[in-house]
Every structure is written in structure tokens, then in C-alpha cells.
Amino acid sequence: MADLLAGLEPAALPDPPAPDAPLADRMRPRRLEDVVGQDHLNGPQGAISRMVAAGRLSSMILWGPPGTGKTTIARLLADAVGLRFVAISAVFSGVADLKRVFAEARDHAKIGKRTLLFVDEIHRFNRAQQDGFLPYVEDGTVTLLGATTENPSFELNAAVLSRAQVLILHRLDHAALDLLLQRAEDLVGKPLPLDSAARDALLASADGDGRFLLNQAETLFAIDLPEPLDPLALGQLLQRRVAMYDKDREGHYGLISALHKSIRGSDPQAALYYLARMLTAGEEPLYVLRRLTRAAVEDIGLADPQALVQCIAAKDAYDFLGSPEGELAIVQACLYLATAPKSNATYMAQKSAWKVAKEHGSLSPPKSILGAPTKLMRDLGYGAGYQYDHDAEDGFSGANYWPNALPPQRFYEPTERGFEKRLAERLAWWDERRHANPA
């Protein structure tokens, strides 16, 4: 059987790419320690480094933005611990492909060769297909390594998540992206035709995506220029808005932080100034809108629920009008946020609720509030004793909705500012009713 399977065994590390291969392919690391920007995983004390040191991998899900090294890490892991490497994409693969992969993995297991199955875009498999992995993961036929850009909590089955460790890959920071450019210059044998401000602008425009950065660098390497480009010329050449940042890179990170903190501090004049600094320098408007939206939910929340509406409306208006007309909608959203009443009660409530959820695991809700679509579930008491609030006095039953093993918690504490003052009064009234008529 070993002879029959020898030709089927995929190599974890392919042959070195051809000299004319895309730059990103030629730059792909050949060692785990050469992967940039993920020191929390491949550094000396990183989770991946410890697995490799132990010589044994557990199934895992790599969750991170595009261009952060998920596929590269998968290949290098298989090579580091001597596993057979098989890669499939959930975009192009179906049930027949999975059956073939599992059958081949089982045959290789018989001769002592375990398989690392890398599934790119694993979130694109439906729930039935995801369940198909379970028996092969449980019996060790494959070590599953899934890659996803989407939140696994929402996109992957609980059964899959319970059998796999989720490892988070970060967007590449400025230092990691700059190291990639240095390596690219060393490989090509010449510097990029950019002045220092344009180089910083190129790094910022990548937004943490290493593959995008190398693709842009490859375009620049291929062009003979009489003199280095400045940020404006770079943007015109690449046909992409490239922000013109100062040499200390204050523009991308310092100004967005200043904008956010000015909004939080209710200073509309300063907020508008920093917004103008960014947009007139060529910052991507959607990047600014994403941060404004974050400020709306983090620093205003339910003190003024219209803050979030304003941000989404500004995004829609900008999509519809484009620049420069659509930038006025961004200004309106910015000023609305800066002048709105402030509250981080929603943000703090989220942190508290997430902490309790992680600490207490998968506690079952009371049977009275579970759905009972089948006779068996009704016979087991699902839905029994549920109190329909609309039938109760004042539309409030005061029932207990918490798991039996978890006493009621208090995550959300509204402030006395803006609309939250009314919410605080409403919550106090409900609490009074609960205590007066405990369910």
C-alpha cells in the first residue's frame, strides 16, 4: 500500500516558485519563524510554537483578515511536525471531494502517515458539510486546520468549535508591513521608487493586508521612474486613494485616534479639524466612516440611538454621491457624534456579558422559554409554563429567563444622560415589578 500511495502524497512545502512567479508567491516564508506580524502565535511563547515544540498539533481554526498568513502557516505547520498536507477550498469543493480526501487520509493512516487537512474559507461550508468533518477529526484520521475571515462564533457549528482551538491572526501592523517591503527589496535587488512619505502612504493603504502590499510593490518594481514618487503621484499611478502622511506616520494612526477621542470628549471643533486633516490628505473615507460608527456604538450607544443611524446614513450617502460631495455626509455624522450625549454603558455591558458567557459555558435556558416544535419536545416539558407577556398586566410578566444554574446578572447600567435616562427609569420600574411579584 505504501508504494501505491507514495505518488498521492502531497508535499507540505511545494518546490520554490519560478523566478517569474508573482512576488507574493516568491516571498512566501519557508519557515514558521519567518511569518511576520503574528508573534503571539509563532513567537517563542506562541501557541503554534508550543505545538510544534511538542511535535503534535490539535485541530484549529485560523481566524484573521486577508493577507495575514493563514495559508502559509498551515503549510509550514504540516512540514514542521511531519504531517501529510492536503488543501481544499470550501468555495470549490463539495461532498464528493471531502469523501475522497477522507478516504485517502484513512489509507495513509494505515501506514502511519497522518494528514493535516487545510480547509480555506471553511465558513462557506454549510452546517451539514461541517458536521461531516466530526468523525474524522475525532478518530484522528485528519487534523483539521480551517481558515476563515469571518467570526467563527457565528459561521461555524458549535460541534466543530468544541473540537478545534480558535487562533486569531492580527492585521499586519506598520512594522510587519515594512519588514515585508524590506524583504521584497532584498529579493528584487533594488529599492522601491518612493520617497519616505510615499512609502509610509503605501504601507497605510495596505490596511494590514500583506498580500495586497506585495502586489502593489510588484507593480512599482516593474516601472522605471526618473525619480521617486511622492504620495500624490503614487495615488495617481496605482489608481487608488493613497493618504499623504507625515514621516512619523501620524496621519493614519495618530489622527484617527485624535478624531475618536475628540468625539468622545464632545469637542465638535477639534473633531472636525482632525476629520479635515485626514480627508484632505487623501485618507479613504470608508476607513473614517468605520471608525465613526465604532465611536457611535462605543461612546454614545443608547444615550442617543440616532448616532448609529447617522453613521450608516452617512455611509449610504457617501456610497451614493462619492467624493467630494459625499464627504459632507461624513462631516454631518462627525458633528452629530461629537455633540451627542455620551455613554459607554452598552460597551461595558458587552464586556461584562461576554465575560460571564465564557466563564459559565453552555448553560441551558429554562425549559419554559425553549421552543417546542415537536411532540417529543413538548412531552419533555419544553415551553411548559411560558408566560406570554402581552397577556400580562402592562405587558410585563416578570418571568425568570435565566438558566437555573446562573442567578440573574446585571450587565447594562444606563446612565442619566440622554435617552438612557428614560431607559433607566423603565428598567427600575420593571425591577420593582419583579421584586413585588417574583415569578
Side-chain angles (χ1 to χ4, degrees):
M1 181 179 289
D3 292 338
L4 291 173
L5 294 176
L8 296 175
E9 184 171 332
L13 291 180
D15 294 333
D20 60 349
L23 179 62
D25 196 33
R26 287 181 283 147
M27 290 279 297
R28 196 178 291 276
R30 309 285 293 181
R31 303 180 305 168
L32 269 172
E33 55 265 35
D34 291 335
V35 175
V36 302
Q38 310 301 337
D39 291 346
H40 62 296
L41 298 179
N42 66 334
Q45 301 301 317
I48 286 177
S49 298
R50 293 185 177 186
M51 291 184 197
V52 171
R56 187 172 181 84
L57 298 182
S58 60
S59 291
M60 64 186 83
I61 303 297
L62 300 180
W63 172 28
T68 52
K70 297 184 289 295
T71 302
T72 296
I73 287 175
R75 285 189 176 276
L76 295 175
L77 274 175
D79 183 68
V81 298
L83 294 184
R84 172 177 173 267
F85 182 80
V86 177
I88 63 173
S89 170
V91 177
F92 301 110
S93 304
V95 174
D97 301 294
L98 291 174
K99 288 182 177 179
R100 175 183 55 79
V101 168
F102 293 140
E104 291 178 0
R106 186 156 281 167
D107 288 339
H108 279 83
K110 293 177 181 177
I111 59 170
K113 190 67 174 178
R114 297 185 62 214
T115 297
L116 186 149
L117 175 58
F118 174 65
V119 183
D120 197 17
E121 304 287 343
I122 189 172
H123 61 275
R124 293 184 179 269
F125 277 135
N126 62 39
R127 295 191 177 275
Q129 289 170 318
Q130 291 179 30
D131 285 341
F133 289 102
L134 301 180
Y136 303 99
V137 171
E138 288 180 344
D139 67 11
T141 300
V142 298
T143 297
L144 175 64
L145 201 162
T148 179
T149 56
E150 305 297 327
N151 190 328
S153 300
F154 301 133
E155 303 297 337
L156 299 184
N157 287 0
V160 173
L161 291 177
S162 71
R163 292 162 175 81
Q165 182 177 359
V166 176
L167 301 180
I168 299 174
L169 279 75
H170 298 157
R171 287 187 180 276
L172 303 188
D173 60 18
H174 186 278
L177 292 170
D178 192 46
L179 179 56
L180 280 183
L181 283 190
Q182 293 175 34
R183 290 180 180 176
E185 291 171 327
D186 291 341
L187 179 65
V188 176
K190 63 179 182 180
L192 285 164
L194 305 173
D195 65 21
S196 58
R199 186 185 183 93
D200 285 340
L202 178 65
L203 294 173
S205 71
D207 198 22
D209 186 333
R211 186 186 304 109
F212 172 85
L213 178 68
L214 292 176
N215 289 342
Q216 298 289 74
E218 186 168 25
T219 299
L220 295 169
F221 281 130
I223 301 173
D224 290 326
L225 296 169
E227 59 184 20
L229 300 173
D230 62 15
L232 181 61
L234 175 63
Q236 293 171 342
L237 176 64
L238 298 179
Q239 294 297 299
R240 177 182 174 88
R241 279 182 81 119
V242 179
M244 294 174 281
Y245 294 122
D246 298 336
K247 292 181 180 179
D248 63 358
R249 300 180 303 280
E250 175 209 16
H252 192 64
Y253 300 109
L255 291 184
I256 197 67
S257 176
L259 171 62
H260 192 150
K261 290 181 173 65
S262 299
I263 289 172
R264 181 183 295 151
S266 300
D267 190 334
Q269 319 305 337
L272 184 56
Y273 166 70
Y274 292 119
L275 177 68
R277 284 274 304 274
M278 300 184 78
L279 293 183
T280 58
E283 178 59 85
E284 189 70 47
L286 290 177
Y287 172 76
V288 177
L289 280 164
R290 284 194 292 270
R291 189 59 170 257
L292 293 180
T293 305
R294 171 68 190 192
V297 294
E298 177 181 339
D299 296 301
I300 299 168
L302 290 173
D304 186 348
Q306 285 297 312
L308 178 58
V309 176
Q310 284 282 330
C311 290
I312 301 305
K315 185 263 184 189
D316 289 343
Y318 180 78
D319 284 342
F320 184 57
L321 295 174
S323 290
E325 292 86 352
E327 292 176 6
L328 185 57
I330 303 176
V331 170
Q332 177 174 314
C334 173
L335 293 175
Y336 191 99
L337 299 185
T339 56
K342 303 300 186 296
S343 170
N344 71 342
T346 298
Y347 176 53
M348 300 305 294
Q350 182 205 19
K351 293 175 65 174
S352 298
W354 264 234
K355 181 175 183 291
V356 171
K358 291 175 181 178
E359 289 176 348
H360 291 274
S362 301
L363 300 178
S364 176
K367 281 189 176 182
S368 61
I369 62 172
L370 293 176
T374 67
K375 182 178 183 302
L376 174 61
M377 297 173 78
R378 290 191 293 272
D379 290 344
L380 291 174
Y382 284 39
Y386 172 63
Q387 301 179 56
Y388 187 61
D389 284 78
H390 295 292
D391 291 339
E393 183 180 358
D394 295 320
F396 180 73
S397 68
N400 175 45
Y401 299 99
W402 290 86
N404 294 331
L406 181 66
Q409 307 289 305
R410 195 169 186 88
F411 304 129
Y412 178 53
E413 294 283 1
T415 68
E416 291 294 314
R417 295 182 291 277
F419 183 65
E420 281 196 328
K421 183 174 183 179
R422 292 181 58 188
L423 295 181
E425 293 170 355
R426 191 178 303 165
L427 289 178
W429 185 83
W430 281 333
D431 286 342
E432 183 180 346
R433 293 290 301 275
R434 282 194 184 93
H435 295 145
N437 301 292

PDB file of all heavy atoms in Angstrom, residues 386-410:
ATOM      1  N   TYR A 386     -44.674  28.712  29.982  1.00  0.00           N
ATOM      2  CA  TYR A 386     -44.259  30.009  29.437  1.00  0.00           C
ATOM      3  C   TYR A 386     -45.365  31.051  29.613  1.00  0.00           C
ATOM      4  O   TYR A 386     -46.536  30.792  29.337  1.00  0.00           O
ATOM      5  CB  TYR A 386     -43.901  29.874  27.962  1.00  0.00           C
ATOM      6  CG  TYR A 386     -43.659  31.208  27.288  1.00  0.00           C
ATOM      7  CD1 TYR A 386     -42.622  32.040  27.700  1.00  0.00           C
ATOM      8  CD2 TYR A 386     -44.486  31.649  26.255  1.00  0.00           C
ATOM      9  CE1 TYR A 386     -42.401  33.263  27.118  1.00  0.00           C
ATOM     10  CE2 TYR A 386     -44.280  32.882  25.646  1.00  0.00           C
ATOM     11  CZ  TYR A 386     -43.238  33.685  26.080  1.00  0.00           C
ATOM     12  OH  TYR A 386     -43.017  34.899  25.487  1.00  0.00           O
ATOM     13  N   GLN A 387     -44.967  32.233  30.071  1.00  0.00           N
ATOM     14  CA  GLN A 387     -45.915  33.329  30.272  1.00  0.00           C
ATOM     15  C   GLN A 387     -45.780  34.332  29.123  1.00  0.00           C
ATOM     16  O   GLN A 387     -44.729  34.949  28.954  1.00  0.00           O
ATOM     17  CB  GLN A 387     -45.643  34.032  31.601  1.00  0.00           C
ATOM     18  CG  GLN A 387     -45.737  33.104  32.810  1.00  0.00           C
ATOM     19  CD  GLN A 387     -45.425  33.840  34.095  1.00  0.00           C
ATOM     20  OE1 GLN A 387     -46.052  34.846  34.424  1.00  0.00           O
ATOM     21  NE2 GLN A 387     -44.439  33.331  34.845  1.00  0.00           N
ATOM     22  N   TYR A 388     -46.846  34.462  28.363  1.00  0.00           N
ATOM     23  CA  TYR A 388     -46.861  35.366  27.214  1.00  0.00           C
ATOM     24  C   TYR A 388     -47.077  36.787  27.729  1.00  0.00           C
ATOM     25  O   TYR A 388     -48.154  37.140  28.213  1.00  0.00           O
ATOM     26  CB  TYR A 388     -47.972  34.952  26.263  1.00  0.00           C
ATOM     27  CG  TYR A 388     -48.003  35.687  24.952  1.00  0.00           C
ATOM     28  CD1 TYR A 388     -46.927  35.630  24.076  1.00  0.00           C
ATOM     29  CD2 TYR A 388     -49.121  36.425  24.581  1.00  0.00           C
ATOM     30  CE1 TYR A 388     -46.952  36.291  22.864  1.00  0.00           C
ATOM     31  CE2 TYR A 388     -49.165  37.093  23.365  1.00  0.00           C
ATOM     32  CZ  TYR A 388     -48.077  37.022  22.508  1.00  0.00           C
ATOM     33  OH  TYR A 388     -48.117  37.680  21.302  1.00  0.00           O
ATOM     34  N   ASP A 389     -46.013  37.595  27.619  1.00  0.00           N
ATOM     35  CA  ASP A 389     -46.029  38.902  28.280  1.00  0.00           C
ATOM     36  C   ASP A 389     -47.163  39.806  27.807  1.00  0.00           C
ATOM     37  O   ASP A 389     -47.667  40.621  28.582  1.00  0.00           O
ATOM     38  CB  ASP A 389     -44.678  39.589  28.081  1.00  0.00           C
ATOM     39  CG  ASP A 389     -43.608  38.991  28.968  1.00  0.00           C
ATOM     40  OD1 ASP A 389     -43.087  37.900  28.625  1.00  0.00           O
ATOM     41  OD2 ASP A 389     -43.310  39.569  30.021  1.00  0.00           O
ATOM     42  N   HIS A 390     -47.568  39.694  26.563  1.00  0.00           N
ATOM     43  CA  HIS A 390     -48.624  40.581  26.065  1.00  0.00           C
ATOM     44  C   HIS A 390     -49.975  40.306  26.736  1.00  0.00           C
ATOM     45  O   HIS A 390     -50.860  41.166  26.717  1.00  0.00           O
ATOM     46  CB  HIS A 390     -48.754  40.433  24.548  1.00  0.00           C
ATOM     47  CG  HIS A 390     -47.529  40.889  23.814  1.00  0.00           C
ATOM     48  ND1 HIS A 390     -47.147  42.207  23.764  1.00  0.00           N
ATOM     49  CD2 HIS A 390     -46.584  40.195  23.133  1.00  0.00           C
ATOM     50  CE1 HIS A 390     -46.029  42.309  23.052  1.00  0.00           C
ATOM     51  NE2 HIS A 390     -45.670  41.105  22.666  1.00  0.00           N
ATOM     52  N   ASP A 391     -50.112  39.111  27.328  1.00  0.00           N
ATOM     53  CA  ASP A 391     -51.343  38.791  28.048  1.00  0.00           C
ATOM     54  C   ASP A 391     -51.304  39.256  29.504  1.00  0.00           C
ATOM     55  O   ASP A 391     -52.313  39.225  30.192  1.00  0.00           O
ATOM     56  CB  ASP A 391     -51.607  37.281  28.013  1.00  0.00           C
ATOM     57  CG  ASP A 391     -51.974  36.794  26.618  1.00  0.00           C
ATOM     58  OD1 ASP A 391     -52.402  37.629  25.805  1.00  0.00           O
ATOM     59  OD2 ASP A 391     -51.825  35.578  26.359  1.00  0.00           O
ATOM     60  N   ALA A 392     -50.118  39.670  29.967  1.00  0.00           N
ATOM     61  CA  ALA A 392     -49.973  40.088  31.360  1.00  0.00           C
ATOM     62  C   ALA A 392     -50.328  41.575  31.506  1.00  0.00           C
ATOM     63  O   ALA A 392     -50.348  42.334  30.540  1.00  0.00           O
ATOM     64  CB  ALA A 392     -48.538  39.851  31.840  1.00  0.00           C
ATOM     65  N   GLU A 393     -50.599  41.966  32.741  1.00  0.00           N
ATOM     66  CA  GLU A 393     -50.903  43.367  33.011  1.00  0.00           C
ATOM     67  C   GLU A 393     -49.702  44.236  32.632  1.00  0.00           C
ATOM     68  O   GLU A 393     -48.545  43.918  32.963  1.00  0.00           O
ATOM     69  CB  GLU A 393     -51.226  43.549  34.501  1.00  0.00           C
ATOM     70  CG  GLU A 393     -51.634  44.966  34.869  1.00  0.00           C
ATOM     71  CD  GLU A 393     -51.933  45.086  36.350  1.00  0.00           C
ATOM     72  OE1 GLU A 393     -51.862  44.062  37.063  1.00  0.00           O
ATOM     73  OE2 GLU A 393     -52.233  46.222  36.789  1.00  0.00           O
ATOM     74  N   ASP A 394     -49.970  45.314  31.931  1.00  0.00           N
ATOM     75  CA  ASP A 394     -48.927  46.244  31.471  1.00  0.00           C
ATOM     76  C   ASP A 394     -47.921  45.589  30.530  1.00  0.00           C
ATOM     77  O   ASP A 394     -46.825  46.110  30.310  1.00  0.00           O
ATOM     78  CB  ASP A 394     -48.167  46.849  32.662  1.00  0.00           C
ATOM     79  CG  ASP A 394     -49.064  47.718  33.525  1.00  0.00           C
ATOM     80  OD1 ASP A 394     -49.893  48.449  32.953  1.00  0.00           O
ATOM     81  OD2 ASP A 394     -48.924  47.652  34.755  1.00  0.00           O
ATOM     82  N   GLY A 395     -48.284  44.425  29.970  1.00  0.00           N
ATOM     83  CA  GLY A 395     -47.389  43.767  29.023  1.00  0.00           C
ATOM     84  C   GLY A 395     -46.098  43.275  29.634  1.00  0.00           C
ATOM     85  O   GLY A 395     -45.072  43.187  28.951  1.00  0.00           O
ATOM     86  N   PHE A 396     -46.145  42.907  30.918  1.00  0.00           N
ATOM     87  CA  PHE A 396     -44.928  42.507  31.631  1.00  0.00           C
ATOM     88  C   PHE A 396     -45.265  41.407  32.622  1.00  0.00           C
ATOM     89  O   PHE A 396     -46.018  41.634  33.577  1.00  0.00           O
ATOM     90  CB  PHE A 396     -44.320  43.707  32.362  1.00  0.00           C
ATOM     91  CG  PHE A 396     -43.076  43.384  33.128  1.00  0.00           C
ATOM     92  CD1 PHE A 396     -41.884  43.144  32.470  1.00  0.00           C
ATOM     93  CD2 PHE A 396     -43.099  43.324  34.522  1.00  0.00           C
ATOM     94  CE1 PHE A 396     -40.731  42.846  33.186  1.00  0.00           C
ATOM     95  CE2 PHE A 396     -41.962  43.034  35.238  1.00  0.00           C
ATOM     96  CZ  PHE A 396     -40.771  42.792  34.575  1.00  0.00           C
ATOM     97  N   SER A 397     -44.695  40.204  32.400  1.00  0.00           N
ATOM     98  CA  SER A 397     -44.997  39.069  33.277  1.00  0.00           C
ATOM     99  C   SER A 397     -44.063  38.974  34.466  1.00  0.00           C
ATOM    100  O   SER A 397     -44.403  38.374  35.493  1.00  0.00           O
ATOM    101  CB  SER A 397     -44.922  37.765  32.473  1.00  0.00           C
ATOM    102  OG  SER A 397     -43.582  37.491  32.076  1.00  0.00           O
ATOM    103  N   GLY A 398     -42.839  39.502  34.311  1.00  0.00           N
ATOM    104  CA  GLY A 398     -41.857  39.384  35.386  1.00  0.00           C
ATOM    105  C   GLY A 398     -41.258  38.004  35.497  1.00  0.00           C
ATOM    106  O   GLY A 398     -40.662  37.656  36.523  1.00  0.00           O
ATOM    107  N   ALA A 399     -41.362  37.185  34.458  1.00  0.00           N
ATOM    108  CA  ALA A 399     -40.842  35.815  34.498  1.00  0.00           C
ATOM    109  C   ALA A 399     -39.318  35.805  34.573  1.00  0.00           C
ATOM    110  O   ALA A 399     -38.648  36.786  34.229  1.00  0.00           O
ATOM    111  CB  ALA A 399     -41.314  35.052  33.258  1.00  0.00           C
ATOM    112  N   ASN A 400     -38.772  34.686  35.002  1.00  0.00           N
ATOM    113  CA  ASN A 400     -37.324  34.495  35.064  1.00  0.00           C
ATOM    114  C   ASN A 400     -36.857  33.853  33.758  1.00  0.00           C
ATOM    115  O   ASN A 400     -37.346  32.801  33.364  1.00  0.00           O
ATOM    116  CB  ASN A 400     -36.944  33.600  36.249  1.00  0.00           C
ATOM    117  CG  ASN A 400     -35.463  33.298  36.263  1.00  0.00           C
ATOM    118  OD1 ASN A 400     -34.633  34.194  36.065  1.00  0.00           O
ATOM    119  ND2 ASN A 400     -35.114  32.043  36.474  1.00  0.00           N
ATOM    120  N   TYR A 401     -35.897  34.484  33.108  1.00  0.00           N
ATOM    121  CA  TYR A 401     -35.396  33.985  31.834  1.00  0.00           C
ATOM    122  C   TYR A 401     -33.969  33.449  31.928  1.00  0.00           C
ATOM    123  O   TYR A 401     -33.362  33.105  30.914  1.00  0.00           O
ATOM    124  CB  TYR A 401     -35.449  35.107  30.781  1.00  0.00           C
ATOM    125  CG  TYR A 401     -36.850  35.608  30.545  1.00  0.00           C
ATOM    126  CD1 TYR A 401     -37.303  36.776  31.165  1.00  0.00           C
ATOM    127  CD2 TYR A 401     -37.735  34.912  29.740  1.00  0.00           C
ATOM    128  CE1 TYR A 401     -38.597  37.237  30.969  1.00  0.00           C
ATOM    129  CE2 TYR A 401     -39.031  35.354  29.543  1.00  0.00           C
ATOM    130  CZ  TYR A 401     -39.451  36.511  30.152  1.00  0.00           C
ATOM    131  OH  TYR A 401     -40.746  36.958  29.958  1.00  0.00           O
ATOM    132  N   TRP A 402     -33.427  33.351  33.118  1.00  0.00           N
ATOM    133  CA  TRP A 402     -32.035  32.950  33.289  1.00  0.00           C
ATOM    134  C   TRP A 402     -31.900  31.439  33.464  1.00  0.00           C
ATOM    135  O   TRP A 402     -32.809  30.786  33.980  1.00  0.00           O
ATOM    136  CB  TRP A 402     -31.428  33.657  34.501  1.00  0.00           C
ATOM    137  CG  TRP A 402     -31.247  35.121  34.277  1.00  0.00           C
ATOM    138  CD1 TRP A 402     -32.155  36.109  34.475  1.00  0.00           C
ATOM    139  CD2 TRP A 402     -30.084  35.752  33.762  1.00  0.00           C
ATOM    140  NE1 TRP A 402     -31.646  37.330  34.118  1.00  0.00           N
ATOM    141  CE2 TRP A 402     -30.362  37.140  33.683  1.00  0.00           C
ATOM    142  CE3 TRP A 402     -28.823  35.295  33.364  1.00  0.00           C
ATOM    143  CZ2 TRP A 402     -29.430  38.063  33.219  1.00  0.00           C
ATOM    144  CZ3 TRP A 402     -27.892  36.214  32.909  1.00  0.00           C
ATOM    145  CH2 TRP A 402     -28.193  37.578  32.830  1.00  0.00           C
ATOM    146  N   PRO A 403     -30.764  30.851  33.064  1.00  0.00           N
ATOM    147  CA  PRO A 403     -30.528  29.425  33.342  1.00  0.00           C
ATOM    148  C   PRO A 403     -30.635  29.149  34.833  1.00  0.00           C
ATOM    149  O   PRO A 403     -30.302  30.013  35.666  1.00  0.00           O
ATOM    150  CB  PRO A 403     -29.095  29.201  32.839  1.00  0.00           C
ATOM    151  CG  PRO A 403     -28.866  30.273  31.826  1.00  0.00           C
ATOM    152  CD  PRO A 403     -29.643  31.464  32.318  1.00  0.00           C
ATOM    153  N   ASN A 404     -31.082  27.961  35.176  1.00  0.00           N
ATOM    154  CA  ASN A 404     -31.261  27.620  36.595  1.00  0.00           C
ATOM    155  C   ASN A 404     -29.950  27.702  37.365  1.00  0.00           C
ATOM    156  O   ASN A 404     -29.938  28.009  38.558  1.00  0.00           O
ATOM    157  CB  ASN A 404     -31.856  26.219  36.719  1.00  0.00           C
ATOM    158  CG  ASN A 404     -33.277  26.155  36.166  1.00  0.00           C
ATOM    159  OD1 ASN A 404     -33.999  27.149  36.194  1.00  0.00           O
ATOM    160  ND2 ASN A 404     -33.668  24.996  35.650  1.00  0.00           N
ATOM    161  N   ALA A 405     -28.828  27.413  36.681  1.00  0.00           N
ATOM    162  CA  ALA A 405     -27.533  27.386  37.362  1.00  0.00           C
ATOM    163  C   ALA A 405     -26.859  28.758  37.417  1.00  0.00           C
ATOM    164  O   ALA A 405     -25.733  28.865  37.910  1.00  0.00           O
ATOM    165  CB  ALA A 405     -26.603  26.387  36.671  1.00  0.00           C
ATOM    166  N   LEU A 406     -27.534  29.781  36.917  1.00  0.00           N
ATOM    167  CA  LEU A 406     -26.925  31.109  36.893  1.00  0.00           C
ATOM    168  C   LEU A 406     -27.921  32.126  37.433  1.00  0.00           C
ATOM    169  O   LEU A 406     -28.985  32.330  36.852  1.00  0.00           O
ATOM    170  CB  LEU A 406     -26.525  31.484  35.465  1.00  0.00           C
ATOM    171  CG  LEU A 406     -25.847  32.851  35.288  1.00  0.00           C
ATOM    172  CD1 LEU A 406     -24.490  32.857  35.984  1.00  0.00           C
ATOM    173  CD2 LEU A 406     -25.703  33.185  33.805  1.00  0.00           C
ATOM    174  N   PRO A 407     -27.605  32.757  38.558  1.00  0.00           N
ATOM    175  CA  PRO A 407     -28.525  33.777  39.091  1.00  0.00           C
ATOM    176  C   PRO A 407     -28.579  34.964  38.136  1.00  0.00           C
ATOM    177  O   PRO A 407     -27.646  35.210  37.367  1.00  0.00           O
ATOM    178  CB  PRO A 407     -27.892  34.159  40.433  1.00  0.00           C
ATOM    179  CG  PRO A 407     -26.453  33.785  40.305  1.00  0.00           C
ATOM    180  CD  PRO A 407     -26.410  32.584  39.407  1.00  0.00           C
ATOM    181  N   PRO A 408     -29.670  35.722  38.155  1.00  0.00           N
ATOM    182  CA  PRO A 408     -29.780  36.887  37.278  1.00  0.00           C
ATOM    183  C   PRO A 408     -28.589  37.838  37.443  1.00  0.00           C
ATOM    184  O   PRO A 408     -28.149  38.104  38.562  1.00  0.00           O
ATOM    185  CB  PRO A 408     -31.088  37.538  37.710  1.00  0.00           C
ATOM    186  CG  PRO A 408     -31.896  36.409  38.266  1.00  0.00           C
ATOM    187  CD  PRO A 408     -30.898  35.509  38.948  1.00  0.00           C
ATOM    188  N   GLN A 409     -28.069  38.292  36.329  1.00  0.00           N
ATOM    189  CA  GLN A 409     -26.930  39.212  36.311  1.00  0.00           C
ATOM    190  C   GLN A 409     -27.416  40.616  35.913  1.00  0.00           C
ATOM    191  O   GLN A 409     -28.521  40.785  35.387  1.00  0.00           O
ATOM    192  CB  GLN A 409     -25.884  38.737  35.305  1.00  0.00           C
ATOM    193  CG  GLN A 409     -25.436  37.303  35.499  1.00  0.00           C
ATOM    194  CD  GLN A 409     -24.590  37.129  36.731  1.00  0.00           C
ATOM    195  OE1 GLN A 409     -23.576  37.804  36.896  1.00  0.00           O
ATOM    196  NE2 GLN A 409     -24.989  36.217  37.618  1.00  0.00           N
ATOM    197  N   ARG A 410     -26.557  41.587  36.130  1.00  0.00           N
ATOM    198  CA  ARG A 410     -26.876  42.949  35.713  1.00  0.00           C
ATOM    199  C   ARG A 410     -25.693  43.482  34.908  1.00  0.00           C
ATOM    200  O   ARG A 410     -24.670  43.868  35.474  1.00  0.00           O
ATOM    201  CB  ARG A 410     -27.173  43.837  36.918  1.00  0.00           C
ATOM    202  CG  ARG A 410     -27.847  45.153  36.524  1.00  0.00           C
ATOM    203  CD  ARG A 410     -28.380  45.893  37.727  1.00  0.00           C
ATOM    204  NE  ARG A 410     -29.152  47.067  37.342  1.00  0.00           N
ATOM    205  CZ  ARG A 410     -30.450  47.060  37.082  1.00  0.00           C
ATOM    206  NH1 ARG A 410     -31.130  45.921  37.173  1.00  0.00           N
ATOM    207  NH2 ARG A 410     -31.086  48.177  36.718  1.00  0.00           N
TER     208      ARG A 410
END
